[in-house]
Amino acid sequence: MRAREMPHPLCCISIDCPELGGRSPPVPAHPPPGRDGDGDGFSVAVAGVLCKWTNIGKGWRYRWFSLQSGVLSYSKIRRGDPPMVPDGGGVRLIGSAAALFSHGGGRRARKPVRVVHLKVSSFRESKTDDRRFYIFSPTKTLRLRTRSSIDRVAWIQALILATKEFSLHREISFIPNDASISTEKLRARMQVEGLDESLIRDCEQIIHSEFSEYHRQLKLQYEEHLSSISTFHRQLEEVDLDVGISEAQVQLTKYDYSSSAHVKFNEYSTTESSDDVEKQELDDLSDEDEFSFFDTSECFGDSASKVIASGDSDRTSGIENNCCGNNIMDEGQLNYQNMLLHTKRRTKLPKPIEREKGVSLWSIIKDNVGKDLTKVCLPVYFNEPLSSLQKCFEDLEYSYLLDQAYEHGKKGNGLMRILNVAAFAVSGYSSCDGRLCKPFNPLLGETYEADYPEKGVRFFAEKVSHHPMLIACHCEGRGWKFWGDSNLRSKFRGQSIQLDPLGVLTLEFDDGEIFQWSKVTTTIYNLILGKVHCNHHGTMNILGNRQYSCKLKFKEQSLLDRNPHQVLGFVEAMNGSKVATLVGKWDDSMYFSFGDEILKTKSSVSTENANLLWKRNKPPTEPTRYNLTSFAITLNELTSELKEKLPPTDSRLRPDQRYLENGEYEKANTEKLRLEKRQRMSRKLQENGWKPRWFQRDSEDATFCYIGGYWEARDQQKWDDCMDIFGEYSMN
């Protein structure tokens, strides 16, 4: 029948719209001049060579800059490359061609060193130099210089026009409000088929009704999308950009977001604040810095939101997600990202007041072979300015992995949850590489608190027993709790020290899923001859109370091992099948793949076709003698505001540790001897019935658990029942 040969009815429908002229998208009333500046293009596209300030050592260096689609990128220029030809014939070059080639500008650019999205950036001219201008982004300041004042005007005009393209308040619409649906072709076709007029009208009514509903929903979605972007833009305007100048000097650009074609050059600042930028310390900015910049649309896209990275190592990996491309970030995490920009922690230790004197290690070791390390009195030369309580919190540097695990579990992905938990268990060892100094042994009753809102965690630890030495800790995060106690047995083996941790660590999520594991053995080698180094070896079993468990093997290093620090493991389901494999190094990164197949070579395990699960943060720019990580440097920081809130038992108030951090070594040694004499009284104190203040356990073999009340006492400043353990004390 002919009715079967009739094409689909919707193929006959067209959208009649006066503004669209049928089908083409509307041309802006005042399109920004692009390409050659004749107004034919729809986007600003310019390129050229600019001088960029790198650092004090390198000074000004030529870089190839390209501005296109609202994104400014630049790359290094290397000699010996063929002349550069900009991509696309519509890119307008700023600056004379002779100038470009005379300074190496006429060469092909390499991979972009950095990109800056103008949506979340501002720019200013220098008032004292007619060739300089500055571009400010939330985490970076670009100091730029042109060859002439004319070139600077051209760049500023291009930046203004490119920014106006992305006005958050301009009138954009996916479908204009007066769009109408034409059904004339459909009516004609149905009349040819001999259909009844009432049936045709019913069909037209159905089509009009469906498209009207579709248009309404599309408009609502667009308005919600625009509202989200506007909210994010306002949040950025309120954030302290912290680029080295005062809050009053740094603001996101507030442009005149109207459809007017009049360009106003007062939309950016030429005040004294621009010149103040030149007075900053310039050595902290270089091409080797690797901050990442993300566009507003990337934060509110339909796919999972991406993470905003920043200079702080925790700020980058701190919430970095690598889960088969499915990144997780909810509204709470975004709020913590905004809080993160307001949190300022120190990035280096104080400069030493005294010059440190070396100590003969052999003279100490030869008299203590076979003894328990906790009973050996060592000078502060062998200590780092952290206590064992603070070292416990250092294991939570990558707590974002537990945040990810919680989110995966909420979505029913138990496999990705245990993979993130396994990566977290391994990540705690990454800070040990190169850390050759011993942490301070805490006094009985010594405590340590850590409140890191930018990480979403609150941590508390207490030394609950002197003999055997036990440290109990408790941490609360976003949707999870982590606790445990540890007893570290250590012995000198002549040329090495072996550390055997005892105790169970427990992780519980708010949905009731629990994981438990114990740490592996650590050995420090070559104490007398050779280069001192440490290695972790043994098997770690992560046991869960639901569907999955995990087994990780830390490979013991051999004498000729070319690829040390390897970790290999697998995730096992309740039926015994291996559902995922983990490979990596405890001092670098961990990867995973689904299934139980592992590609092995002669010297290592291949990570090809595997997914990155965790990556170690980069070391600080100013390394210390103790090789502390950027996170560890913040652990013993003591501000005047924090000092007023701490109990007298907090590790930050320990005098020998504070003297060591300040480089007052003689005072540190004197205080260490005094406190160790008092430490010897702890055993008698414990035998006389001393009990921990904040932790307790049900039996001798049970784990110490937090009984609560610390943070409430902190808020009320009620420390009456806390002894002054660092002051003078005598046994009665």
Side-chain angles (χ1 to χ4, degrees), residues 528-627:
I528 301 175
L529 297 176
K531 183 179 179 181
V532 180
H533 66 279
C534 74
N535 187 43
H536 307 286
H537 51 90
T539 302
M540 176 185 291
N541 292 300
I542 304 176
L543 304 178
N545 64 340
R546 291 187 181 175
Q547 189 175 1
Y548 299 106
S549 60
C550 180
K551 184 176 183 179
L552 297 170
K553 184 177 182 181
F554 289 67
K555 182 180 178 182
E556 187 168 5
Q557 185 176 351
S558 62
L559 184 62
L560 302 178
D561 195 349
R562 297 182 179 180
N563 196 19
H565 305 167
Q566 288 189 39
V567 180
L568 178 64
F570 56 86
V571 176
E572 191 175 58
M574 293 184 65
N575 58 8
S577 61
K578 297 179 180 180
V579 294
T581 304
L582 295 103
V583 295
K585 295 184 176 182
W586 53 259
D587 64 334
D588 182 65
S589 57
M590 288 296 294
Y591 294 81
F592 77 94
S593 59
F594 297 110
D596 59 352
E597 295 184 1
I598 303 175
L599 298 177
K600 293 186 178 181
T601 63
K602 292 183 179 180
S603 59
S604 64
V605 178
S606 174
T607 58
E608 185 178 359
N609 300 324
N611 302 286
L612 179 64
L613 194 60
W614 160 75
K615 181 75 174 176
R616 180 186 178 185
N617 293 329
K618 292 187 176 182
T621 55
E622 299 183 17
T624 66
R625 180 180 78 83
Y626 313 102
N627 286 326

Side-chain angles (χ1 to χ4, degrees), residues 384-438:
E384 61 181 11
L386 292 175
S387 73
S388 297
L389 297 170
Q390 293 165 315
K391 288 280 289 183
C392 290
F393 180 57
E394 194 174 356
D395 289 349
L396 287 140
E397 177 177 359
Y398 302 94
S399 61
Y400 73 88
L401 291 168
L402 300 184
D403 298 340
Q404 292 178 183
Y406 173 68
E407 294 295 332
H408 282 299
K410 283 175 58 178
K411 298 186 177 182
N413 193 340
L415 180 56
M416 285 306 304
R417 168 174 281 189
I418 194 171
L419 286 171
N420 278 271
V421 171
F424 169 77
V426 175
S427 68
Y429 294 97
S430 63
S431 62
C432 299
D433 190 28
R435 300 276 289 276
L436 307 179
C437 293
K438 173 181 177 290

Side-chain angles (χ1 to χ4, degrees), residues 477-493:
R478 301 175 200 149
W480 52 267
K481 294 180 181 179
F482 174 80
W483 71 88
D485 57 29
S486 61
N487 178 13
L488 190 64
R489 291 181 181 173
S490 54
K491 286 187 178 181
F492 285 118
R493 299 291 187 185

Side-chain angles (χ1 to χ4, degrees), residues 669-709:
N669 274 314
T670 302
E671 284 295 322
K672 189 170 188 291
L673 289 174
R674 181 182 69 84
L675 292 177
E676 287 189 350
K677 289 180 181 179
R678 175 168 180 170
Q679 179 81 309
R680 296 185 184 98
M681 303 177 187
S682 298
R683 186 166 186 173
K684 293 183 179 179
L685 190 66
Q686 190 170 343
E687 290 174 353
N688 291 337
W690 181 90
K691 298 295 182 182
R693 173 64 182 84
W694 309 105
F695 290 85
Q696 69 179 17
R697 59 181 175 182
D698 298 332
S699 63
E700 290 295 326
D701 298 329
T703 300
F704 277 93
C705 295
Y706 176 60
I707 60 177

Side-chain angles (χ1 to χ4, degrees), residues 389 443-449 460-462 638 642-655 674-675 678 693-694 710 713-714 717-728:
L389 297 170
L443 304 183
L444 184 64
E446 185 173 335
T447 63
Y448 176 73
E449 69 160 61
F460 180 72
E462 180 182 12
L638 181 62
L642 179 60
K643 188 175 182 180
E644 296 176 355
K645 300 178 180 179
L646 294 177
T649 56
D650 195 275
S651 296
R652 296 179 182 88
L653 305 177
R654 180 166 176 161
R674 181 182 69 84
L675 292 177
R678 175 168 180 170
R693 173 64 182 84
W694 309 105
Y710 174 82
R714 183 183 189 268
Q717 290 294 291
K718 290 185 177 181
W719 306 123
D720 299 336
D721 52 350
C722 295
M723 295 190 305
D724 183 11
I725 61 174
F726 304 128
E728 297 295 336

Side-chain angles (χ1 to χ4, degrees), residues 43-275:
S43 65
V44 178
V46 297
V49 173
L50 291 172
C51 281
K52 175 187 173 294
W53 178 266
T54 55
N55 53 49
I56 293 179
K58 297 181 179 179
W60 294 93
R61 293 298 177 94
Y62 287 99
R63 298 288 184 260
W64 178 262
F65 279 79
S66 176
L67 174 60
Q68 196 164 10
S69 301
V71 178
L72 179 70
S73 62
Y74 66 89
S75 54
K76 295 182 179 180
I77 302 172
R78 305 187 186 278
R79 298 185 178 277
D81 289 345
M84 173 184 294
V85 179
D87 296 334
V91 178
R92 177 167 61 92
L93 292 177
I94 296 180
S96 62
L100 297 179
F101 280 88
S102 65
H103 294 292
R107 305 184 185 278
R108 185 171 303 279
R110 298 296 183 99
K111 181 181 178 180
V113 175
R114 192 180 306 280
V115 296
V116 176
H117 292 272
L118 297 183
K119 288 184 183 181
V120 291
S121 303
S122 62
F123 49 91
R124 297 184 179 94
E125 293 178 340
S126 172
K127 190 175 181 180
T128 58
D129 190 335
D130 61 358
R131 295 184 300 162
R132 292 190 189 183
F133 63 99
Y134 311 96
I135 298 178
F136 304 95
S137 71
T139 55
K140 181 72 174 177
T141 300
L142 296 181
R143 297 163 174 82
L144 306 175
R145 186 178 67 190
T146 61
R147 184 174 178 82
S148 65
S149 59
I150 297 177
D151 291 346
R152 187 181 78 168
V153 172
W155 275 105
I156 292 296
Q157 289 177 340
L159 289 171
I160 292 176
L161 294 175
T163 308
K164 279 186 173 292
E165 291 180 24
F166 294 95
S167 167
L168 296 175
H169 303 290
R170 64 180 179 177
E171 295 182 359
I172 308 174
S173 179
F174 295 109
I175 297 181
N177 293 331
D178 56 350
S180 61
I181 306 300
S182 173
T183 58
E184 293 181 0
K185 293 181 180 180
L186 177 62
R187 168 179 281 274
R189 179 61 173 162
M190 297 178 75
Q191 288 177 345
V192 170
E193 296 298 324
L195 298 179
D196 184 69
E197 181 66 22
S198 61
L199 180 60
I200 295 176
R201 285 196 299 269
D202 290 343
C203 291
E204 287 181 324
Q205 183 62 30
I206 293 174
I207 292 174
H208 281 293
S209 175
E210 291 296 324
F211 270 89
S212 176
E213 177 63 20
Y214 171 75
H215 177 265
R216 187 187 67 82
Q217 294 181 2
L218 186 63
K219 184 178 180 181
L220 288 175
Q221 291 179 0
Y222 170 72
E223 290 176 351
E224 292 176 359
H225 178 76
L226 188 62
S227 176
S228 300
I229 297 178
S230 301
T231 301
F232 182 70
H233 185 266
R234 287 194 301 271
Q235 291 174 347
L236 286 175
E237 289 179 341
E238 297 171 358
V239 167
D240 174 15
L241 298 182
D242 192 19
V243 291
I245 58 181
S246 65
E247 296 181 0
Q249 295 167 343
V250 181
Q251 298 177 0
L252 288 177
T253 315
K254 298 179 177 63
Y255 292 96
D256 180 15
Y257 292 114
S258 64
S259 59
S260 172
H262 300 289
V263 177
K264 300 180 181 181
F265 281 88
N266 60 356
E267 293 168 340
Y268 57 95
S269 171
T270 58
T271 62
E272 294 292 340
S273 60
S274 302
D275 308 303

